[in-house]
Amino acid sequence: MYNLGLMSKAGMTIMARQVAWIIILTLGSAIFGGRLMAIEEPDFRLIREDGDIQVRDYDAVIVAETVVEADFENAGNEAFRSLFDYISENDIAMTAPVTQESTGEGWAVRFVMPEAYSLESLPEPQASNVQMKALPPRRMAVIVYSGSWSGENYRSHLAELMNWLNAEGFEVTGDAIWARYNGPFSLWFLRRNEIHLPIRLN
């Protein structure tokens, strides 16, 4: 234990640095880790893994969804407030990831609801632009990557995933879903991003 009364100015500086590093490491593991601390994520069964690409089986999930007419990089920001207001007003825990999927004219942005809820037990959204949906069980091909949330980074990894699926003979059955697991203030190189593509069961 430190004796603050007898500690020199240099010793205080060393202790302050040690405390600062402890705080940084603690917050880093909680906020920037591959799986966010105390944040629920949908369970899946890992079917196959090839480097940064995985094939996963997901059970049905319930989502809160809002559709925005915005470009790829701004859709999440525009949709976030409506979805966050819904879970805050109803004391529903935040989960990860936040996902978005193209609707053709815009983007459907979704919060996955905690597993404890059913479609019947969830409160009805007060905002007209928020809808509750049940998504069916699906087999997903997933590529995991870090880095920025730019459209360029997204498109390059989507192309990599598509090339792998074509080479392995998988049939894609739906649109790509972009999944983000970290908050906007996380360091870019520690972010966990994913692209999910539904594929036909073999």
Side-chain angles (χ1 to χ4, degrees), residues 2 4 6-18:
Y2 292 106
L4 298 180
L6 300 176
M7 188 172 294
S8 67
K9 190 174 292 187
M12 290 287 288
T13 301
I14 292 172
M15 186 183 76
R17 288 176 179 170
Q18 291 173 339

Side-chain angles (χ1 to χ4, degrees), residues 9 12 32 39 43 46 51-52 69 73 99 102 146 191 198:
K9 190 174 292 187
M12 290 287 288
F32 304 134
I39 298 291
D43 288 331
L46 182 62
D52 293 330
E69 293 185 7
E73 294 176 1
T99 69
S102 175
S146 61
R191 287 176 178 169

Side-chain angles (χ1 to χ4, degrees), residues 23-46:
I23 293 172
I24 290 170
L25 291 173
T26 301
L27 290 176
S29 63
I31 299 172
F32 304 134
R35 188 180 179 96
L36 295 177
M37 184 177 293
I39 298 291
E40 182 179 324
E41 299 178 17
D43 288 331
F44 62 83
R45 292 172 294 282
L46 182 62

Side-chain angles (χ1 to χ4, degrees), residues 103-118:
T103 64
E105 297 180 353
W107 295 88
V109 182
R110 302 176 181 129
F111 283 8
V112 178
M113 296 294 98
E115 188 179 6
Y117 290 94
S118 66

Side-chain angles (χ1 to χ4, degrees), residues 33-78:
R35 188 180 179 96
L36 295 177
M37 184 177 293
I39 298 291
E40 182 179 324
E41 299 178 17
D43 288 331
F44 62 83
R45 292 172 294 282
L46 182 62
I47 304 302
R48 183 174 172 185
E49 187 169 23
D50 185 357
D52 293 330
I53 296 175
Q54 299 177 346
V55 175
R56 304 172 181 171
D57 279 351
Y58 283 92
D59 292 330
V61 295
I62 300 168
V63 298
E65 175 187 285
T66 187
V67 177
V68 294
E69 293 185 7
D71 60 26
F72 172 85
E73 294 176 1
N74 292 313
N77 289 337
E78 291 196 19

